[in-house]
Amino acid sequence: MSASDQNNQEPPPQTEPHRTTQTQAHDHAVQPPTAGSDTQTGAPSIPTAATAAAQSSQHPQEGGDAGGGAGEEHEHQPPGSPPLPQKHTPVTPGPRATRFTQLYDLALQRTLQKVSYDNFASCFPTIAVHAPNTLRNVQKQMVDYLEERCNKDFQSILVDRDVIRKLNDFENLVSDAERRRQESGDSAEEPIPPHLLSPDEVLAAHLAPRLVSQQSHLNARLQNTQASNESLFATIQSQRAEIDALLAQLESHVADIDGANAMLVDVAPELAAEARASEAQMSGM
């Protein structure tokens, strides 16, 4: 065997098992754990700082969203419904209110007469020549619209300002003043102006309506009381008459009894003697 063959047949160098194990352990310590290895070994994963910060920032955001949702829900609550308006009660117009509405109707009709077709056509001569029917319809529609709108606004003003009732009150005031003037006559003294009246007179004038109403109420109560007293007096009178009749009847009965007693005075001794004799006979038997 040659030297070259001996060199070729030299055994391979032996590896150091201890060193290899330490190197593998060092490699495992350096490499970060993977998700697969954690799942297989069952070891809990350690959260990083970024993960903790993300979780901590997520919770306040959820709380803020909840608070914002509650605030939005509170803001979107529907408001309470307003109270219904009072129902309007129509008032019968008096002479002045009737004349007022008639005057308004007359003024409105005269105003709308100014919007005639001739005046309207003079403003649109070209359309009046080429399409007179269309222009006439437009003029009629405008007049009808103005009349309807004016009447609606006028009725709204009458209701809002309560014009009819106030005119009726004014009519009553004027008629009352006229009645007082006629009742006083021409020889009546001129009334004193209000600013020259004394405080007591002004106070009495202000209290007069209330006092009159109270006086009428008290008069009504007094009349009712008087009527009740009259009915009670009539009842008492009838009862007294009935008592007098009963007393008269009783006196007649007493007189009859007294007469019977007077008649028995003469025969009473004889009746007593007969009674004693009868008793003696019965006892002797």
Side-chain angles (χ1 to χ4, degrees), residues 123-195:
C123 298
F124 305 96
T126 305
I127 302 176
V129 172
H130 294 86
N133 294 330
T134 303
L135 187 62
R136 192 179 300 276
N137 292 333
V138 171
Q139 182 265 343
K140 185 177 182 302
Q141 291 178 2
M142 181 175 291
V143 171
D144 294 341
Y145 173 76
L146 290 175
E147 183 178 5
E148 181 182 0
R149 185 65 181 179
C150 291
N151 289 329
K152 185 176 180 180
D153 293 343
F154 181 71
Q155 294 298 329
S156 178
I157 292 172
L158 291 180
V159 173
D160 294 341
R161 302 299 178 88
D162 201 5
V163 178
I164 303 299
R165 185 186 63 80
K166 292 179 180 179
L167 286 176
N168 291 341
D169 293 342
F170 180 68
E171 184 73 25
N172 295 332
L173 182 62
V174 172
S175 60
D176 189 18
E178 183 66 22
R179 179 183 58 80
R180 290 183 179 182
R181 187 180 66 82
Q182 292 179 359
E183 289 178 355
S184 61
D186 298 336
S187 61
E189 297 180 359
E190 186 177 356
I192 302 174
H195 63 279

Side-chain angles (χ1 to χ4, degrees), residues 65-80:
D65 294 340
E72 291 178 358
E73 183 179 358
H74 180 70
E75 291 178 357
H76 288 295
Q77 289 181 356

Side-chain angles (χ1 to χ4, degrees), residues 32 36 89 91 110 148 157 173 215 219 252:
T89 304
V91 182
R110 289 184 177 180
E148 181 182 0
I157 292 172
L173 182 62
Q215 184 179 4
N219 289 334
S252 64

Side-chain angles (χ1 to χ4, degrees), residues 19-90:
R19 181 175 179 80
T20 305
T21 305
Q22 291 180 354
T23 305
Q24 292 177 357
H26 179 70
D27 295 339
H28 284 293
V30 172
Q31 293 179 359
T34 59
S37 62
D38 293 339
T39 305
Q40 293 176 0
T41 58
S45 60
I46 301 175
T48 60
T51 306
Q55 292 179 356
S56 61
S57 62
Q58 183 177 2
H59 290 293
Q61 185 177 2
E62 292 177 356
D65 294 340
E72 291 178 358
E73 183 179 358
H74 180 70
E75 291 178 357
H76 288 295
Q77 289 181 356
S81 59
L84 296 176
Q86 296 182 356
K87 186 178 180 180
H88 173 66
T89 304

